[in-house]
């Protein structure tokens, strides 16, 4: 970690977390040299002076740097301080990466996270589609209905998103119950702290449902940065539209496969791949001879859609659809067919012809939701019946999956047990948690065809685990390659725990200089709660009395007195009351800035691992606050990350908002 813990180079936590200490000092030296050479430094000076910087100077010409800054900043005469210099450097670096075509294979906002890029253009068709989705699903919301429907031809969407309520509500539509709405600030006029809290809550909750929000913070929403706001919205809508592409929710999907082995393979596929398999399953019943492999070029001519809809809703078919030669006219007839089926439009005929991957995916996913054309199994699928132990494994897999994705690794994880088997993702995660620890010279990058290459990667994973003092008795690299679930979860838990303890150590090393242990976290939590006069006590992280949630509500209140509304807290005596308290705990912890991946069930059932991560996340957030005001500072840390964070740091911290708070 860099920034204030190694001498105050930058005050913005988001910027602190984008660079190592060495990188910051090197860039500071470059910056001071540039400023000395010209006496002062403006944005207009940077294109010529940044030619020696890595990536930026190597991969962009001076003309390209000039053009980018001209498009991105209104006044190139503005003077540049060090923090603005760092932001320009990051933007140019990302622009250079995009120009070189990295990640271009699936660069759409739906298929890959758009929030990690800085391309400042948006698709008006996509905006209109998402606005239509929001109007449809949130039009009757008690709070939002006075602002809806949104006019897609305006920028009202981005204005409405500035208070954070809209995206919080959209997350709950996508994954019901993710956010306890009692934690959302829904006053007509929000002060800067309340607005910041909402954005922090929505960004941490977005991560918890599988969105990738690396390099985005509350300030991006407050300033209405359209490409970033639209990127988050598109990911949330994607999650909602693809939610039914899961065997547990739609057991009819077993019709797509044969035996249990095929079912297991299907369960490991990402939803987009299952959707393609479903589409091709129906197309095989027709005269259509091609295989659809993507939601862009393969559907541009409208033929695949025509055959698919004829299978699903033959009563609404139009014989002339296949006869017409003009792709645009055929696409129009396809959409008319979908309308007669009762399917909502997520795209226009032009979007089909132009092969918009985001909107075509949304269109097909909605067709699947409306009419999948599959047969209901005559008897329960035994493969889908799970025991309580397996249910906990599933929850832990989900938590670790979202945690790994939040680190900002290049490989997006859809299924932990399948996606870590080649060892590469685990090496990426290890490198994020402990930079420099992986020997990339002996690592094998996917795609890996030879099994022994996968074993080599996993052997290094195990070796590094032992180096970090993980308990790995009788575990070999081949166990990971074979997909041993319990061993994989055990390894990931130790990696997450190591990350937690290292972060705490870094934060307090300047004053304590000691290794943190589980008992230190336990003692800290009990001490904080006792400091409020409460007699509550956590005997251990598996203390069954924690199931009512009261202790964690008192802990949150101790670190941030204004965050808990005690009028909303129940006694936690019945299962329903425990559930209400647990959902409230998770939401207000995310609201202050804790990046956590547990579910209410983990609190109610007192899952020892998840209870430890919750406590440590609160402790980490508390230690991140200014030393002279840790118990009084208003909430509002926000989301941005460098891959090894437990909580999200703010783009809009006290440095941004102190001047505004006096106006409230």
């Amino acid at each position: 970690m860099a920034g204030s813990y190694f001498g105050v180079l930058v005050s913005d936590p988001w910027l602190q977390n984008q660079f190592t200490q060495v990188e910051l000092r090197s860039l500071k030296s470059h910056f001071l040299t540039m400023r000395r050479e010209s006496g002062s430094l403006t944005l207009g000076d940077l294109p010529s002076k940044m030619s020696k910087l890595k990536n930026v100077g190597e991969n962009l010409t001076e003309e390209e740097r000039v053009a980018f800054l001209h498009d991105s900043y209104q006044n190139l005469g503005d003077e540049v301080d060090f923090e603005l210099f760092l932001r320009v450097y990051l933007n140019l670096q990302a622009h250079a990466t995009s120009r070189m075509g990295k990640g271009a294979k699936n660069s759409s906002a739906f298929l890959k996270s758009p929030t990690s890029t800085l391309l400042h253009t948006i698709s008006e068709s996509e905006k209109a589609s998402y606005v239509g989705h929001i109007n449809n699903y949130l039009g009757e919301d008690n709070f939002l209905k006075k602002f809806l429907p949104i006019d897609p031809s305006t920028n009202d969407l981005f204005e409405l998103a500035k208070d954070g309520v809209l995206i919080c509500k959209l997350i709950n539509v996508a994954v019901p119950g993710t956010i306890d709405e009692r934690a959302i600030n829904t006053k007509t006029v929000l002060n800067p702290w309340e607005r910041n809290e909402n954005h922090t809550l929505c960004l941490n909750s977005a991560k918890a449902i599988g969105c990738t929000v690396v390099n985005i913070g509350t300030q991006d929403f407050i300033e209405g940065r359209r490409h970033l706001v639209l990127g988050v919205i598109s990911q949330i809508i994607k999650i909602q539209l693809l939610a039914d592409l899961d065997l547990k929710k739609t057991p009819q999907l077993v019709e797509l496969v044969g035996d249990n082995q095929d079912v297991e393979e299907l369960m490991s596929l990402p939803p987009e791949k299952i959707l393609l398999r479903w589409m091709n399953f129906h197309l095989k019943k027709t005269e259509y001879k091609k295989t659809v492999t993507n939601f862009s070029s393969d559907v541009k001519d409208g033929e695949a859609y025509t055959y698919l809809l004829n299978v699903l809703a033959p009563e609404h078919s139009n014989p002339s659809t296949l006869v017409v030669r003009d792709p645009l006219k055929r696409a129009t007839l396809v959409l008319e067919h979908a309308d007669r089926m009762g399917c909502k439009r997520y795209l226009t005929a032009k979007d089909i012809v132009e092969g918009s991957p985001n909107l075509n995916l949304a269109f097909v996913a909605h067709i699947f939701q409306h009419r999948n054309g599959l047969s209901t199994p005559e008897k329960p699928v035994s493969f889908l019946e799970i025991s309580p132990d397996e249910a906990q494994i599933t929850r832990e897999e989900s938590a670790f999956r979202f945690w790994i994705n939040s680190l900002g690794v290049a490989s997006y994880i859809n299924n932990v047990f399948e996606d870590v088997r080649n060892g590469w993702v685990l090496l990426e995660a290890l490198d994020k948690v402990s930079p420099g620890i992986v020997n990339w010279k002996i690592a094998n990058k996917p795609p890996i065809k030879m099994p022994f290459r996968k074993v080599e990667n996993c052997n290094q994973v195990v070796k590094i685990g032992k180096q970090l003092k993980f308990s790995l008795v009788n575990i070999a690299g081949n166990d990971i390659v074979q997909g041993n679930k319990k061993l994989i979860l055990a390894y990931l838990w130790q990696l997450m725990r190591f990350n937690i303890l290292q972060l705490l150590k870094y934060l307090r090393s300047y004053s304590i200089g000691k290794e943190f242990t589980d008992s230190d976290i336990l003692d800290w939590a009990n001490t904080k709660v006792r400091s409020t006069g409460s007699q509550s006590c956590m005997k251990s992280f598996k203390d069954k009395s924690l199931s009512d949630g009261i202790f964690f509500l008192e802990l949150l209140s101790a670190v941030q007195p204004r965050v808990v509304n005690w009028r909303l807290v129940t006694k936690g005596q019945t299962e329903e009351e425990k559930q209400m308290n647990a959902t409230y705990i998770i939401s207000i912890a995310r609201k202050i800035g804790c990046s956590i991946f547990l579910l209410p069930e983990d609190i109610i059932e007192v899952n020892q691992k998840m209870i430890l991560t919750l406590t440590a996340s609160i402790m980490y957030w508390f230690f991140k606050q200014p030393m002279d005001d840790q118990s009084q500072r208003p909430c509002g840390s926000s989301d941005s990350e460098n891959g090894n964070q437990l909580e999200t740091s703010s783009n809009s911290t006290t440095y941004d908002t102190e001047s505004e708070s006096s106006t409230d």
Side-chain angles (χ1 to χ4, degrees), residues 463-476:
K463 181 181 178 181
I464 293 172
K466 291 178 178 177
Q467 183 180 333
L468 298 177
K469 299 180 181 178
F470 293 178
S471 175
L472 299 172
V473 180
N474 297 326
I475 295 180

Side-chain angles (χ1 to χ4, degrees), residues 319-497:
S320 64
T321 307
L322 287 172
V323 177
V324 298
R325 294 179 178 272
D326 180 10
L328 189 63
K329 188 172 182 180
R330 182 183 297 125
T332 302
L333 294 174
V334 164
L335 293 178
E336 289 175 359
H337 190 162
D339 284 343
R340 291 192 292 272
M341 287 172 58
C343 291
K344 299 179 183 66
R345 290 196 179 191
Y346 278 88
L347 74 179
T348 64
K350 183 182 177 184
D351 295 323
I352 293 177
V353 172
E354 292 180 351
S356 170
N358 293 357
L359 300 182
N360 277 295
L361 174 61
F363 180 56
V364 178
H366 182 66
I367 292 171
F368 177 87
Q369 283 186 338
H370 187 73
R371 188 178 298 193
N372 62 43
L374 299 174
S375 304
T376 303
E378 295 181 0
K379 56 183 180 180
V381 183
S382 59
F383 190 88
L384 300 177
E385 296 174 0
I386 59 174
S387 65
D389 286 345
E390 290 171 324
Q392 182 166 323
I393 287 175
T394 300
R395 286 210 308 271
E396 290 188 7
E397 184 276 335
S398 176
F400 292 137
R401 170 162 38 96
F402 294 144
W403 173 67
I404 292 173
N405 287 331
S406 78
L407 296 177
V409 297
S411 308
Y412 188 84
I413 304 297
N414 289 290
N415 182 295
V416 164
F417 302 128
E418 291 299 319
D419 294 345
V420 304
R421 288 173 62 176
N422 62 19
W424 183 261
V425 172
L426 290 175
L427 291 173
E428 287 186 307
L430 284 162
D431 193 56
K432 290 289 185 181
V433 169
S434 185
I437 202 166
V438 176
N439 184 351
W440 292 109
K441 292 181 180 179
I442 62 171
N444 303 290
K445 188 174 183 178
I448 305 173
K449 295 182 179 179
M450 304 299 290
F452 75 93
R453 298 293 186 194
K454 298 178 183 179
V455 175
E456 287 177 348
N457 281 352
C458 293
N459 281 342
Q460 186 179 180
V461 168
V462 173
K463 181 181 178 181
I464 293 172
K466 291 178 178 177
Q467 183 180 333
L468 298 177
K469 299 180 181 178
F470 293 178
S471 175
L472 299 172
V473 180
N474 297 326
I475 295 180
N478 196 50
D479 293 314
I480 298 174
V481 176
Q482 295 299 320
N484 186 311
K485 292 183 179 182
K486 289 188 176 180
L487 294 183
I488 289 171
L489 289 180
Y491 189 97
L492 287 174
W493 160 241
Q494 292 181 84
L495 181 59
M496 180 187 272
R497 179 179 172 276

Side-chain angles (χ1 to χ4, degrees), residues 4-275:
S4 57
Y5 310 115
F6 300 97
V8 182
L9 294 174
V10 293
S11 59
D12 188 332
W14 183 81
L15 283 172
Q16 292 170 14
N17 292 316
Q18 306 309 307
F19 304 96
T20 66
Q21 178 193 9
V22 173
E23 288 170 336
L24 270 180
R25 294 195 182 283
S26 174
L27 288 166
K28 183 76 169 183
S29 176
H30 278 291
F31 171 74
L32 293 175
T33 300
M34 291 176 190
R35 197 164 62 178
R36 277 196 303 270
E37 289 174 350
S38 54
S40 63
L41 193 65
T42 67
L43 284 167
D45 297 328
L46 293 181
S48 61
K49 293 184 176 296
M50 297 181 85
S51 59
K52 295 181 181 179
L53 293 179
K54 184 179 178 182
N55 294 335
V56 170
E58 296 171 357
N59 301 315
L60 291 174
T61 66
E62 185 173 335
E63 290 76 16
E64 288 171 334
R65 296 194 291 273
V66 169
F68 181 81
L69 263 69
H70 187 270
D71 290 342
S72 302
Y73 299 94
Q74 292 183 346
N75 187 2
L76 296 185
D78 287 347
E79 192 163 341
V80 178
D81 61 14
F82 183 48
E83 294 196 2
L84 178 57
F85 168 77
L86 291 177
R87 291 182 183 277
V88 172
Y89 174 68
L90 287 171
N91 288 359
L92 284 169
Q93 197 174 42
H95 182 56
T97 300
S98 69
R99 288 293 297 272
M100 290 187 294
K102 291 182 179 180
K105 186 176 180 181
N106 276 323
S107 59
S108 70
F110 256 164
L111 301 177
K112 292 285 182 183
S113 168
T115 55
S116 59
T117 69
L118 289 170
L119 299 175
H120 297 276
T121 58
I122 66 169
S123 163
E124 290 297 326
S125 289
E126 288 183 21
K127 184 183 78 170
S129 177
Y130 305 152
V131 164
H133 182 96
I134 290 168
N135 287 339
N136 181 58
Y137 284 94
L138 290 171
E140 297 304 315
D141 180 86
N142 289 334
F143 178 79
L144 291 174
K145 61 185 179 183
K146 57 180 175 285
F147 304 107
L148 301 179
I150 301 169
D151 183 350
S153 66
T154 68
N155 285 324
D156 289 354
L157 170 64
F158 307 109
E159 290 300 315
L160 188 54
K162 287 184 178 180
D163 278 346
V165 179
L166 173 68
I167 297 184
C168 285
K169 299 272 189 177
L170 191 60
I171 287 171
N172 270 356
V173 169
V175 183
T178 300
I179 296 176
D180 188 325
E181 297 207 358
R182 295 174 295 174
I184 305 173
N185 299 317
T186 54
K187 294 192 308 186
T188 303
V189 179
L190 300 178
N191 65 42
W193 294 121
E194 292 165 331
R195 180 182 59 193
N196 220 28
E197 286 175 341
N198 280 350
H199 291 311
T200 305
L201 173 59
C202 80
L203 287 170
N204 279 318
S205 300
K207 282 196 301 180
I209 65 170
C211 296
T212 305
V213 292
V214 178
N215 292 345
I216 182 169
T218 62
Q219 196 66 17
D220 297 310
F221 285 94
I222 292 166
E223 294 178 4
R225 291 175 184 162
R226 300 187 304 160
H227 64 296
L228 295 177
V229 174
L230 204 65
V232 173
I233 289 173
S234 73
Q235 290 186 82
I236 296 168
I237 292 175
K238 170 192 170 182
I239 288 169
Q240 178 187 344
L241 291 175
L242 297 179
D244 289 343
L245 286 150
D246 181 297
L247 272 166
K248 293 168 187 172
K249 292 185 177 179
T250 312
Q252 298 97 310
L253 286 167
V254 296
E255 191 177 349
L256 304 184
V257 296
D259 56 26
N260 278 0
Q261 187 174 356
D262 293 329
V263 171
E264 190 168 3
E265 179 193 351
L266 185 69
M267 290 182 73
S268 69
L269 291 176
E272 300 96 318
K273 296 292 186 184
I274 298 176
L275 191 61

